[in-house]
Amino acid sequence: QVKLVESGGGLVQPGGSLTLSCTASGRDISRFGMGWFRQAPGREREPVAAINWDGSQTVYSDSVKGRFTASKDNTKNTAYLQMNTLKLEDTAAYYCAPDQIPFRRVVLVTANFGPWGPGTQVTVSS
């Protein structure tokens, strides 16, 4: 059974940066793409970024394109989300999840990913 743990969230001022990490255990994620999602209070969980199994393909939502960068280190079984130029509207709980099918191109479809980690809170506030 795969277990995911996100870390790196916190409180940051607008314009600041954070790097989230997602470490997997119980599954070798080198064969799987990884997705990043966020959920603000009262809103549905939305996909923001994904990276394919070998890191050669990334995809981003329009709201974070050019500011967020997804990466993964298969030797550490860990995925990362570098978040720059953070905005107030980036405030949310952030989650990671592996693609459910190995070796495929990733698309920002929430149903393609799972199971989920417990999440890490990102709060952007002045």
Side-chain angles (χ1 to χ4, degrees):
Q1 181 74 11
V2 62
K3 180 179 179 181
L4 301 138
V5 178
E6 302 93 341
S7 61
L11 174 64
V12 63
Q13 293 185 340
S17 298
L18 283 174
T19 299
L20 306 183
S21 299
C22 169
T23 300
S25 60
R27 179 187 294 177
D28 178 2
I29 66 167
S30 66
R31 299 175 294 144
F32 295 86
M34 294 294 293
W36 287 94
F37 305 79
R38 67 186 181 188
Q39 187 168 17
R43 303 188 66 176
E44 292 187 358
R45 187 170 299 185
E46 62 170 340
V48 295
I51 184 167
N52 76 328
W53 65 281
D54 67 354
S56 62
Q57 181 224 351
T58 53
V59 60
Y60 302 94
S61 68
D62 288 344
S63 61
V64 307
K65 195 174 297 181
R67 301 188 297 120
F68 289 13
T69 302
S71 61
K72 66 195 303 259
D73 185 340
N74 288 334
T75 66
K76 297 181 179 180
N77 227 32
T78 299
Y80 303 95
L81 185 67
Q82 173 70 41
M83 306 186 296
N84 297 327
T85 320
L86 282 161
K87 303 177 180 180
L88 297 175
E89 54 264 40
D90 293 320
T91 295
Y94 282 73
Y95 303 86
C96 66
D99 196 341
Q100 296 185 16
I101 296 177
F103 303 124
R104 70 173 175 180
R105 290 180 62 83
V106 288
V107 292
L108 291 181
V109 174
T110 303
N112 284 5
F113 295 85
W116 305 90
T120 186
Q121 178 68 34
V122 172
T123 301
V124 184
S125 175
S126 55

